[in-house]
Every structure is written in C-alpha cells, then in structure tokens.
Amino acid sequence: MLESTAFRVHGNFVAHIYFGMTAPMDQSIRKLSEYAHQLRFADISDEAVHECKRRLIDTLGCAIGAFDAEPSRIARAVAARYSGNPPARVFGTLRASSPDHAAFANGVMLRYQDYNDSYFMKSSGHPSDTLAAVLAIADAVHADGRAVITAITLAYEAFCNFSDVLEREQGWDYVLYGVVACALASAKLLDLDAAQMAHAVSLAVIPNVALEQTRAGELSMWKGCAAANAARNGVFAALLAQQGLTGPEDAIEGRWGLQRAVGRFEWAPFGGQGGPYRVTQTHLKYFPAVVHSQSPIAAAVELHGKIAIEDIQSIAVDSYWVAKRYADRASPLWHPGTRETADHSIPYIIAAALIDGTISAASFSEARLRDRRITDLLGKMTIREDAAFTELHPAAWPCRIEIRSRSGQHVIATSNFFKGHARNPLTDAEVETKFCQLTTGFLDSQQAGKILAKAWELERLRDIGEVIGLLSVNRAMDRES
Amino acid sequence: MTTLVEQLSSYAASLRYEDLPSTVISQAKRLIIDTIGCALGGYAGEPAKIARDIAGSVTSTRPATVILSGQRSSPDLATFANGVMIRFLDFNDGYTSTGESGHPSDSIAAVLSTAEIMQRSGKDVIAATVIAYEVFCRICDEADLKPLGFDHVTVGGMASTAAAARLLGLTEPTIAEAFNLGIAPNIALYQTRIGNVSMWKGCAYANASRNAVFAAMLAARGMTGPAPIFEGVGGYFKAVTRAPFRLAALGGREHPFKIMECSIKRFPLGQYSQTVVEAALEARTRIASADEITEVRIETVSAAVRLMAGDPEKWAPSTRETADHSMPYTVAVALIHGSVAEHHFGDEYLRDPKIRALAKRIKVEASEEAERRMPEAMRCNLSLVTRSGATHTAVVDYHKGHYKNPMSDAEVEAKFRGLAKNVLEPAQADRLLEALWKIEHVADAGEIVRLTAAARP
C-alpha cells in the first residue's frame, strides 16, 4: 500500500514524500531492502559474527599497509579538505572528513594492495571493499560493535548475492555490487526504515553503472580506487535517502533498469534463510600476491627443500583456465620487470616460493626481480591447463606442481584450497600475524595489540570509534596537507 | 589516431574567452542569467532542500557557495545542491537533436563551484560555460542513449568534467585523466525518466556534475584513470553506445558554437511540450471556455509523443515530476487556466477532476511533417474540437525562447523576475540582474553566487 502525503514547503508549490513500510518498488529492490531492514544482530550466527571480526582485522591491516601508496596519498589529500558534521575519520591520519570522502580515502587504502578478502562465484570481487562505507558511517554515528557486525554481514550478503547470480560477461565493472552493498549497510547504520532503504538501493543503482575498461589494458591507479568510489557513492545514496529523497521505483527490473544492462537475475536466498551467511564464505589472502597464485604457493611451499634448487631440471605446473594466460613465453608474466607484474606472475611466485619456502613483500623487491636463481627456475617451468581442474574451479582452486631433478628425483604436490580459502581458513593467530606484518612500521606494537583486542571483543564495543581512533600512523604526518 | 578524450581535452584546455564572438558571449550570459533564475525558482523544492541540507553538513578548506542560502560547502556538494535547484522546475534551457537531448545549463552548477574555489574571473566562467555546452551538444548529436537504456546525464557528466577540469587549471593530459576518471564509473540508467518519476529526475544531472567535480579534483592531485575510455575494449563505445562515433568540428575559428542552438524555455515543463503548450494557449484564445472542448488533437514529433505521453503514468500523473513531463496534463492545465506555472503542479491541481477529464479528451499522434523538421523545429499542430463542431487549430514551429524565436533580453529578465519573486524582493532581483549582465567584468567569480546570497531578504 502506498500512502502519499503532500505538504507545503516554503514556496507556493507542493512536494510529495512517500511514507510507510512498503515502498512501491520492484521485487528485487523490495526483497533486498526488506531483508536489510529485518536483519538483527541477534539473528546472526556466532560463526558469522566471528568471521566479521576476522575480516575487520584483515581489512584494517590492509589499509594501514597501503598507507604510503600514491593513490592513498591522493585520496587523503582530497578528503583532508573537508569536514563533515558529523565527521568520519581517515585511517592513519585520523583527520576528520565527510563520511563520503572518508569512505573513499579509506577504501583506496584498504584495497590498493589487492590483499583484502575475495569471493568467487559467477563473478568475483572483494567484498571487504564495503568496509570503507561501513566504517565511515559507523564512525560518524558512533555505531556500537553489534551494529557494525550487522552492517558488515548485510554488506556481504548484498555484494556476494550479486556475485552469485550475475555473470561478469556483460562488459561492466562489478563495482556496482559495492555501491548497492554500501548503500544498504550505510542505510542500516543510519537506522532507515524499509522504504528509505529501498530508495537508497534505487539511488545507488541508477547512476553508478561502471565501465569494464577499468580492468582492461594497461591499468591505471583507478583499478585500486574504483571500489572505494563505489563506497563513496553508496554512502551518498544512503544519506540522500535518509533525508527523504526518492529514486526510480523500478531501478532494477524496469524496462530501462539495471537488468536491461546486465541481464535478468533473481536473488539467491539470503544468509540465515536456510543457508550460511556469506561473510563466512569469502577467502582471506595469506600471501601478498594475486589470488590465482595462492594455491600454487601452497603447493610450492610444500615442495620447498625437497629438491636442491640447483638440481631442478623441470617444473611442470597444472592449473585451471588461468594457465592460458601463460601460453605466450614472451609475455611480461614470464619476465616480470616491475613489482606489479611480478606479484601477478604465477611462475615468478612459484619460483620464489620454492627458493624461500614462503612469499612476502620482500619476494618482490628490486633485488629479487633480478635474482638469477628465480630467472633460471622460470626457464625450467611450464604451465598447462588441466580441463578437469577448470571444471572444478571456482568451487576448488586446484594446482599441481611436479618437479624433476637432474639426479632423477621426482616430487609432486597438489593444492585444492589455498591457505585462507573459506575451506582452508586461516587460524585466528594467522589473521593476527598478517595484521601485525602489514602494520609494522606504521603502528607500534602496543597500538596493534589494542586494536586486535578491541576487534576480537567487537560485539561488546560501545563505539567503533574506539578502534578507528587507534589507527594513527605516527610518522610523516607533517607531510599530509 | 587521436582518441575522443584527447580531442575533448585539447579543446577544453585551449578555447580562449578572447576567441569567442560577441554573440556567443551574449548568449552565454543570457543562459547563465536564465539558469540562476531557475535555481531561485527551484529553491523551495523538496529535493533542493534535501541537497542543501546535505551540502550544509560539510565544510571545506576551499569552500564553494550554495545559491541563495549562502551555505559554504565542498565544491562537489555545492555543485550538487546548486544543480538540483537549477533543474528542479525543469525550466532551464534545452538542447534537442536527432541524437540525445537535454539541458546543458545543468553544467553551470559545476562551472560556478569550481570557478569559485579557484577564484577565476567572470570571463573564465563564460569560457567554461561555452566549453561545457560544446561538449554536451556535440556528444548528444552523435548518439541517442535512450533506446540503449542510458540517461543523457552520462553526457552531462562529460560536459561538467570539461568545465571543472578547465577551471581547475589542469593541463591537457591531466584534463584527459579527469575525463577517464569521470566517465568510467558514472554510467546512468534511463529508468530515471520512466513511469512514476521520482525526485531523482531533477537530481540526476546534478549528481553527474558532483562526480565530475570529484574526478577533476582527483586528476588535479595526480590520479590516473582507465584509458582509452571511449575506444577501449571495455569502454564507452563497447558498453554504452555499442558503436564508435566521431565528433563534428567543435566550436571556434570558422566553426559555429553549439550554445547558439540552445533554447530558453517559456514554460516550466518538459522541452518537448513547449510548442504544444504554446499552441494550446493560442487555440484557447478562440474559444470562450474550456468546457466547450470535446476533443483535443495534437500532432507533433514522435519523441515528444513517446517521452511526454508514452506511458500510462503520464496520462494520470500523481507526482510533480511526472506531471511536468506529461503532455496531456500540461495541455489540459493550459486550456483550463490559460497559463502553466509552477503552482499548477501542486497537489490541488494534480487531483483536480476537471484537469483529469480534459486530459482524457486529448489525442496525441506523431506527425511525419513534424518529424521531417526535427531537430531544427519542434512543430506542433493542435486542434480544439468544440461542442458546436467547430475546429480551432494553432500551429507552432518554434516556441518563444527557441533559438529561432528568441526571447529579447527584456523577456529573459521578465522570466528571471518571475522565478525570483518568491525568494527576492523586486529591487533585489533587479540588482542581481544588473550584476549578472556585467559578469564578464567580475574579477572573482565567487562573487556571482555570493551575490545571490547577499540579495536574500
């Protein structure tokens, strides 16, 4: 039922605002916004609550770790010009900005290294990108830990449900999932009613379709910033809806709505409606390298030390479709000259892991890029696609590495679920280790310890600002303008 | 091969005020005045109030001013608030082509905010306005986005990006990055204009301008964006227009400026209904009362039929936004009341059974003759059939304000005063007009918007 109420504004004409629990919206918007409106902290499983905390820690670590990246500096410089009422703070500097610009700056930092979590279904993405919006709005409204957990759970449901039902073959960038997820999570934190939430979704969908070019050809800085921009516009959509702005009723299903551009879809069941919450289904990255290298790293680490590097005669790698990218031996992926190429090169990463027994940021230093031992191994390596593996992916991430030595030795290791995969999860201690590694040199160990302690107690936290307030990088702040 | 972004950035970087013919400068001033007038008229609209509330929640080290309220906000949110006010009444200028159509004056919101924070001159404002119009109209000429499912504000964002990047003083390659950053994430869906039209209708272009200003500011700080954004495998030509296009020569030197082909609206309603309402008013003078009308026959261009009478909501509008884009509603109002003004979109009119009954007696058809004249004219042939069986016909090719039937400066002023009357005393409106006619002599463009705030009673 639609109730329309008209009232006079200062001028001599009349505006309309729709009230009531049910907005006259299309089914897709209604289902999503009604789910969002009814979701309560008490409904969320203990497991999902715990996974929210782990992702909060992981994401904050990623953000601080990318503090010095050039796009991080640019985004902070823009955010520093503004102050919101209420304000939201920028990680690292703790400068007060507006919620939308804080979401952008924090979003750039947490995503820039491509080290935050990921989700793979019909299409893929980094659902933790949405924490940029969640934390900016939560900081602004002094949300408590339970509200933050509820908002994170909700953002993941929206983002990952899109990934479940939409193929990424339409020529569009998937950041739209993030805009919608961020709008909903922000709306939840702002305590909007179901009708306002529906308008927030509509206002998120309509103007924020993005071009795939961001991921094509020679990559620009925007690759790491597009999701942060989605968070910025998701926050804005929620703020507009909070003030009573209305969006198109059939933004998703209408004749000229989203489905016209991306194809028809229907939501899969949402978390708690017979299935697990999706926040428990995403994968954390343990090694700082492209996600497709995570299983190869696990196999290579297993083989580390079994055959002396100098004795290796050949390395045969079997993988899923990603192997096709390595068909051309002249490709930079076989001869990485920059850090960005190296951390996306599976052969380079396997070689480094075989030599070192692990992968860290140091694996991609200038010196290592020129390391003869690595380039020698690259010359001995082949990568093939195994059709059976392609069948299994992305439910599994199979990789098999077979090494033969000059002396006739023969060793094989196979990995299906990389370390950090939802089915091979990091331990809480490993989540902490990653956080500490990322924040070393930016936060002192006492700060890091306090953040971890508060994050693990998130559901008892009175104000998320207590965690955000600890994220101050205590050096080089004089260079920020 | 020059990319489209290279062509646009070269133009945005190089067009000089000194190269503009006096007719172009004069037209730009008339449109800036008309646009600020529309913002004053749209001030009290609910979306405008919302946009100001949000703009008012942010302060900036380099603030931009909100029209009339004088609030100092971030340039992106001031652009949004001013843009919503400019567009709310749908009374600002129009450009129509066989491709896409729209209101290039919406981009003046981005011009004013970025000019203010950079303390640019009035001449810079005029040059940036001409650039924005040129970018908007030339791209509109090349592709109709509506049948592809996209909204013209996608092009509006490009126009605002050009103006903002220019006023921020960016170099040509940096302007190119502003385009890359402005275009990639800001593709908007056409659904905004369909069915029960929401408040977003009046906010969509303002939002595109908000994001354009943001993109230009990122580029200014050194951010890089995806390229080539039109021609790339995942670019605009692939996903949006599904075919490449090239632009006709941009205005300057021997080439005409598109701003000269933009029309000022006579009535606060969709531009496709301007000639229709004018014809209705003309035919009305020949009958004693609207009660005599048994049928209204309208023949005009097919786009007008599709956009202003094409879906059921347009025949029984329940919101202001739907009504001002409804040909049957606005024609019925014109025939009954002898004018169409802002207050005719109020609730008591929306629910008036007399208007609804007359709207039902309207028949709308696309005419081949009108179609042939597009986009040069928007011909409307309107006939009233009365109880006595008589038929009274009026034909309008160019509404008053159309660039081929232009308003005089005095008429532009009269429209401005009418729009300002609810928010300014007549003497204040006159002072504001006087200052706006001298805009090319303003040293600090921030004065333009600050004047509107100072004029407030």
Side-chain angles (χ1 to χ4, degrees):
Chain A
M1 266 297 289
L2 163 71
E3 291 175 62
S4 168
T5 304
F7 65 94
R8 281 195 175 273
V9 288
H10 334 303
N12 61 346
F13 44 80
V14 166
H16 290 258
I17 292 216
Y18 296 111
F19 293 104
M21 287 296 290
T22 314
M25 290 286 183
D26 69 41
Q27 280 298 312
S28 298
I29 297 177
R30 285 172 71 142
K31 276 189 187 158
L32 187 59
S33 51
E34 281 165 12
Y35 174 77
H37 188 247
Q38 60 78 38
L39 185 69
R40 297 281 173 275
F41 174 78
D43 305 332
I44 301 171
S45 64
D46 292 347
E47 187 200 2
V49 168
H50 191 64
E51 293 301 329
C52 284
K53 296 177 188 174
R54 286 155 53 89
R55 276 153 190 76
L56 174 67
I57 293 167
D58 190 59
T59 307
L60 292 177
C62 291
I64 295 301
F67 184 78
D68 283 335
E70 181 61 14
S72 306
R73 290 180 188 282
I74 294 171
R76 286 199 302 272
V78 172
R81 292 188 192 139
Y82 313 124
S83 183
N85 176 25
R89 288 172 290 177
V90 174
F91 302 161
T93 63
L94 296 186
R95 288 186 71 140
S97 185
S98 62
D100 55 339
H101 285 284
F104 183 71
N106 294 338
V108 169
M109 287 190 271
L110 68 86
R111 171 61 185 278
Y112 198 68
Q113 290 184 328
D114 252 331
Y115 203 3
N116 55 332
D117 79 345
S118 55
Y119 185 71
F120 289 83
M121 286 299 280
K122 279 189 176 166
S123 52
S124 59
H126 301 272
S128 50
D129 289 339
T130 58
L131 265 63
V134 169
L135 295 172
I137 291 287
D139 194 31
V141 304
H142 301 282
D144 67 20
R146 292 180 179 202
V148 170
I149 289 167
T150 310
I152 293 174
T153 304
L154 178 58
Y156 272 66
E157 284 304 315
F159 187 104
C160 299
N161 208 321
F162 267 120
S163 305
D164 287 351
V165 301
L166 269 181
E167 300 281 354
R168 194 181 150 186
E169 287 171 3
Q170 318 288 339
W172 302 109
D173 190 11
Y174 53 73
V175 290
L176 182 72
Y177 309 176
V179 189
V180 174
C182 290
L184 262 190
S186 301
K188 186 75 175 171
L189 286 162
L190 293 168
D191 203 21
L192 303 193
D193 65 32
Q196 288 172 316
M197 281 192 181
H199 284 294
V201 171
S202 170
L203 294 168
V205 165
I206 285 287
N208 291 304
V209 180
L211 299 173
E212 173 99 284
Q213 188 63 23
T214 297
R215 320 277 157 199
E218 195 175 331
L219 299 183
S220 68
M221 289 184 197
W222 192 246
K223 186 213 72 171
C225 305
N229 187 57
R232 181 180 70 91
N233 279 320
V235 165
F236 189 65
L239 293 174
L240 291 173
Q242 182 188 33
Q243 298 293 328
L245 201 82
T246 59
E249 292 168 2
D250 302 314
I252 292 181
E253 296 173 9
R255 182 165 172 222
W256 307 103
L258 179 65
Q259 293 189 343
R260 169 98 181 177
V262 305
R264 298 208 80 80
F265 62 85
E266 247 181 72
W267 301 120
F270 289 101
Q273 299 177 343
Y277 287 94
R278 286 171 173 80
V279 70
T280 65
Q281 306 295 307
T282 74
H283 318 308
L284 300 185
K285 262 191 199 176
Y286 191 65
F287 300 106
V290 67
V291 68
H292 295 291
S293 72
Q294 302 290 320
S295 270
I297 293 170
V301 166
E302 196 184 322
L303 295 174
H304 166 70
K306 291 197 172 158
I307 292 180
I309 298 299
E310 297 69 29
D311 197 27
I312 290 176
Q313 186 175 47
S314 68
I315 306 166
V317 180
D318 288 304
S319 182
Y320 45 86
W321 54 260
V322 74
K324 288 195 185 88
R325 293 182 187 165
Y326 297 87
D328 176 11
R329 296 293 299 202
S331 153
L333 288 171
W334 285 103
H335 314 277
T338 65
R339 190 211 140 85
E340 288 74 15
T341 315
D343 69 17
H344 277 63
S345 161
I346 295 174
Y348 177 94
I349 292 164
I350 290 175
L354 284 171
I355 295 167
D356 300 338
T358 189
I359 288 292
S360 68
S363 311
F364 307 105
S365 67
E366 282 297 317
R368 294 312 298 278
L369 288 174
R370 291 189 302 270
D371 185 342
R372 282 298 300 272
R373 296 207 302 165
I374 292 181
T375 45
D376 283 352
L377 286 189
L378 285 171
K380 295 171 181 172
M381 203 181 303
T382 53
I383 301 188
R384 290 183 310 193
E385 178 183 358
D386 181 326
F389 285 5
T390 296
E391 280 288 303
L392 290 170
H393 185 75
W397 293 69
C399 175
R400 180 173 52 235
I401 301 178
E402 185 172 355
I403 303 179
R404 288 176 192 277
S405 75
R406 292 203 180 87
S407 49
Q409 267 182 292
H410 177 213
V411 290
I412 297 179
T414 303
S415 165
N416 264 315
F417 301 102
F418 57 83
K419 194 174 183 66
H421 188 282
R423 293 182 59 182
N424 180 21
L426 302 186
T427 64
D428 289 350
E430 285 167 333
V431 171
E432 289 198 353
T433 302
K434 180 180 168 187
F435 178 84
C436 292
Q437 280 170 354
L438 279 165
T439 56
T440 298
F442 297 99
L443 307 178
D444 64 42
S445 56
Q446 246 194 331
Q447 265 176 298
K450 278 187 200 162
I451 292 166
L452 288 171
K454 282 187 188 287
W456 291 127
E457 297 287 311
L458 188 57
E459 71 271 44
R460 279 179 279 282
L461 205 65
R462 303 274 289 269
D463 179 351
I464 190 67
E466 291 177 42
V467 172
I468 293 169
L470 287 165
L471 292 166
S472 65
V473 170
N474 291 314
R475 54 169 191 83
M477 281 190 59
D478 52 334
R479 293 210 305 272
E480 299 278 331
S481 61
Chain B
M1 203 22 217
T2 311
T3 65
L4 190 47
V5 159
E6 284 166 346
Q7 186 188 357
L8 294 172
S9 4
S10 162
Y11 185 74
S14 60
L15 186 73
R16 302 186 321 155
Y17 175 83
E18 291 71 26
D19 300 334
L20 301 177
S22 59
T23 49
V24 169
I25 292 170
S26 160
Q27 171 78 339
K29 282 163 63 176
R30 286 157 52 90
L31 289 168
I32 290 168
I33 288 170
D34 186 58
T35 302
I36 291 176
C38 289
L40 300 178
Y43 185 79
E46 181 65 15
K49 196 168 154 288
I50 291 170
R52 283 198 304 277
D53 282 348
I54 289 182
S57 73
V58 173
T59 57
S60 173
T61 54
R62 288 194 296 168
T65 307
V66 177
I67 292 173
L68 201 65
S69 78
Q71 288 157 303
R72 316 263 282 155
S73 183
S74 65
D76 50 345
L77 290 181
T79 297
F80 183 67
N82 290 338
V84 172
M85 286 193 263
I86 287 169
R87 181 61 178 272
F88 176 69
L89 295 176
D90 232 314
F91 206 177
N92 55 327
D93 75 346
Y95 176 74
T96 47
S97 81
T98 47
E100 192 49 81
S101 300
H103 308 270
S105 54
D106 288 334
S107 280
I108 289 174
V111 170
L112 293 174
S113 302
T114 44
E116 181 178 2
I117 63 163
M118 299 303 290
Q119 296 178 293
R120 298 292 177 200
S121 70
K123 290 188 170 94
D124 294 328
V125 165
I126 289 171
T129 299
V130 173
I131 290 168
Y133 273 72
E134 200 63 23
V135 170
F136 183 84
C137 300
R138 294 286 175 197
I139 296 176
C140 278
D141 284 350
E142 298 308 323
D144 187 1
L145 301 183
K146 296 182 285 291
L148 299 162
F150 302 102
D151 194 13
H152 72 278
V153 303
T154 301
V155 182
M158 298 176 197
S160 295
T161 300
R166 160 65 174 248
L167 288 164
L168 289 180
L170 307 189
T171 60
E172 199 177 314
T174 313
I175 295 176
E177 293 300 351
F179 277 115
N180 295 334
L181 293 164
I183 293 167
N186 294 310
I187 307 302
L189 300 170
Y190 184 55
Q191 190 66 30
T192 298
R193 318 278 155 198
I194 296 299
N196 251 329
V197 178
S198 70
M199 289 185 198
W200 189 245
K201 184 207 73 173
C203 306
Y205 197 131
N207 185 59
S209 296
R210 176 184 71 92
N211 281 316
V213 169
F214 181 66
M217 297 190 105
L218 289 179
R221 281 278 174 172
M223 182 78 78
T224 60
I229 197 62
F230 283 98
E231 300 85 356
V233 291
Y236 193 85
F237 290 155
K238 165 89 183 299
V240 179
T241 55
R242 295 182 206 153
F245 59 74
R246 302 181 69 173
L247 298 185
L250 295 156
R253 296 198 181 86
E254 70 277 21
H255 303 294
F257 286 91
K258 275 287 180 181
I259 196 169
M260 302 310 292
E261 292 175 33
C262 294
S263 302
I264 294 178
K265 276 189 182 178
R266 179 176 170 193
F267 306 105
L269 44 92
Q271 56 181 327
Y272 285 94
S273 296
Q274 298 286 321
T275 49
V276 185
V277 168
E278 193 156 312
L281 291 174
E282 201 181 312
R284 182 182 185 268
T285 60
R286 297 182 212 139
I287 56 171
S289 155
D291 298 335
E292 293 174 29
I293 301 169
T294 54
E295 192 176 306
V296 183
R297 293 188 199 135
I298 298 171
E299 292 176 10
T300 185
V301 299
S302 64
V305 175
R306 197 171 62 245
L307 297 170
M308 306 273 148
D311 44 304
E313 288 84 354
K314 298 279 165 36
W315 290 86
S318 62
T319 68
R320 182 207 148 78
E321 288 82 0
T322 312
D324 71 22
H325 272 54
S326 157
M327 190 187 296
Y329 181 82
T330 51
V331 166
V333 167
L335 290 172
I336 293 169
H337 296 286
S339 67
V340 184
E342 298 99 272
H343 67 273
H344 290 127
F345 301 105
D347 215 44
E348 62 273 34
Y349 289 94
L350 290 177
R351 284 198 297 236
D352 182 351
K354 256 183 90 178
I355 294 175
R356 293 207 164 195
L358 183 54
K360 285 202 184 99
R361 278 177 256 148
I362 295 173
K363 296 211 163 72
V364 179
E365 251 181 74
S367 114
E368 270 179 42
E369 192 191 357
E371 208 64 12
R372 270 197 305 277
R373 299 283 301 276
M374 268 291 277
E376 175 263 339
M378 211 177 284
R379 185 182 179 84
C380 175
N381 188 320
L382 180 143
S383 300
L384 302 178
V385 183
T386 63
R387 289 216 184 95
S388 62
T391 300
H392 305 280
T393 300
V395 179
V396 177
D397 287 332
Y398 312 108
H399 67 83
K400 187 70 188 170
H402 189 280
Y403 72 96
K404 293 200 168 168
N405 180 19
M407 289 186 187
S408 64
D409 286 354
E411 285 167 329
V412 171
E413 288 199 352
K415 179 181 168 187
F416 182 94
R417 288 196 185 91
L419 283 161
K421 73 174 190 294
N422 287 325
V423 288
L424 297 181
E425 297 297 333
Q428 292 165 325
D430 287 346
R431 275 200 296 279
L432 188 51
L433 269 172
E434 200 185 322
L436 289 172
W437 283 120
K438 293 181 194 150
I439 191 171
E440 71 272 40
H441 304 299
V442 171
D444 176 356
E447 284 304 313
I448 300 165
V449 175
R450 290 197 288 269
L451 267 176
T452 65
R456 207 175 168 202

